[in-house]
Amino acid sequence: MKLHFLGTGSSFPTAKRGVSSLALQLDDGCVWLFDCGEGTQIQVQKSGVTGQRITAIFITHLHGDHLFGLPGLLCTISSQLGEEEAAKRVVEIYGPQGIQRFINTALLISCSPLLFRFKVHELVPAPQQYPQDFDDWQLGDGEPHHTPTHPNQLPGSSVTPVADEEGNLHWPLVDSEGWCVRAGWIHHRVPTFGFVLAEKERPGTLDLTKLTALGLKPGPVCRELKAGRSVVTESGRQVRPEEVLGPRIPGRTLVILGDTSDASPLAHLTQECDVVVHEATHGDALADKAAQYGHSTPAGAVKFAKKIGAKLLLLNHFSQRYTLADSQDGEESVSVLEVEGQQAASGSNLKVLCSHDLFVYEVPARPRTL
């Protein structure tokens, strides 16, 4: 499983840094995309990610530097898919209420056909997510029926928040055989979400030597044993899964956030994680400016990472005032932010790194449990 940082800048793309987009390459080869700023389709082509393998797209919020690349990327994916593959493909898109209108308006006005089908699942924000001046933008109620739907769009869902006994909110998005994905709200200037991705525990490796020694042949019985069900040999002996399976493989947890000045409303969703991706738009000396515009600094990111028991903090979404780490253009480079983060994490087990465009991080497997 790999994290591909496609764009790590804030506000606007430059010749040296793209804007927000992150691809998670799963072990089965499928790709989940998180945010899709302008130029993402170009960054995809520069990376080790295959655009045709994108099966789900998660948008944290509707600011342009996280969204403007989406219509173009969808069209590019369509042009690269073969007809047979496109006929089977359904891309799931998750984002705040209003994203469906954005996608359909862009695709319909430009008369853009798609070979594949897609669904849009809109997260309905909680009242506390809206800023005081939100109504000034005259967006209407955001209901999808106000905009015609694309011919290739399948019905999606409207995801409302679920509250726990203490009133903490989350938005359930994915509950598949391998993953549970939930969204939580975080503080920013528009309704914004972070995503908690929990990989489910998997069965251990099947020991074929033990299998054959017990009188079983590889085949359908392997599937039954991996599913946790006992099987019976031809001689009538019952074989339990634990007799032929190695230690179970624990799942990994990733937290991927959008822009935020405070991600604490999401912290209840996990008390440990392998990797958290958190913005650090400005250095600690500009904490007031960062907060004014709904952003964070390395120290703020470290504070949250510690709160959720993260092992690794990967910083991104850097102001364009910070040059690349190896740049000779000036003293204010991204390396300054990395040092500040490491200093804030000093004395803990938290590791802090700054990402950069096309940086790839391979998420290690957790130790197997008996």
Side-chain angles (χ1 to χ4, degrees), residues 317-349:
H317 197 266
F318 310 118
S319 166
Q320 306 299 357
R321 69 183 295 142
Y322 301 101
T323 61
L324 304 182
D326 58 355
S327 173
Q328 303 299 318
D329 296 340
E331 295 182 358
E332 278 198 319
S333 75
V334 169
S335 59
V336 172
L337 304 178
E338 185 169 277
V339 170
E340 290 182 348
Q342 292 170 349
Q343 289 175 340
S346 178
S348 71
N349 295 323

Side-chain angles (χ1 to χ4, degrees), residues 115-130:
L115 292 178
F116 64 89
R117 295 167 295 170
F118 67 95
K119 295 181 182 180
V120 181
H121 308 282
E122 292 197 319
L123 284 63
V124 180
Q128 59 266 41
Q129 290 184 259
Y130 292 100

Side-chain angles (χ1 to χ4, degrees), residues 3-10 16-23 43 46-47 277-278 313-318 322-327 333-335 337-338 353-361:
L3 286 166
H4 296 258
F5 287 82
L6 304 177
T8 57
S10 66
K16 295 183 178 180
R17 185 186 290 146
V19 284
S20 295
S21 188
L22 170 66
Q43 297 295 92
K46 294 179 181 178
S47 74
V277 179
H278 196 298
L313 168 62
L314 295 175
L315 300 175
N316 69 346
H317 197 266
F318 310 118
Y322 301 101
T323 61
L324 304 182
D326 58 355
S327 173
S333 75
V334 169
S335 59
L337 304 178
E338 185 169 277
L353 294 174
C354 276
S355 61
H356 56 80
D357 283 23
L358 307 184
F359 168 61
V360 180
Y361 177 76

Side-chain angles (χ1 to χ4, degrees), residues 2 10 30 50 59 63 95 115 161 165 172 180 200 220 243 247 251 305-306 340-342 344-345:
K2 298 178 181 179
S10 66
C30 291
T50 302
I59 302 297
H63 276 159
L115 292 178
E165 294 179 355
C180 176
K200 295 182 179 179
E243 295 182 73
K306 288 181 177 179
E340 290 182 348
Q342 292 170 349

Side-chain angles (χ1 to χ4, degrees), residues 86-97:
K88 299 182 292 184
R89 175 64 54 85
V90 177
V91 176
E92 309 280 349
I93 303 173
Y94 303 86
Q97 191 173 57

Side-chain angles (χ1 to χ4, degrees), residues 163-178:
D164 63 18
E165 294 179 355
E166 298 180 358
N168 298 309
L169 301 178
H170 76 271
W171 286 252
L173 303 181
V174 177
D175 190 1
S176 65
E177 181 179 346

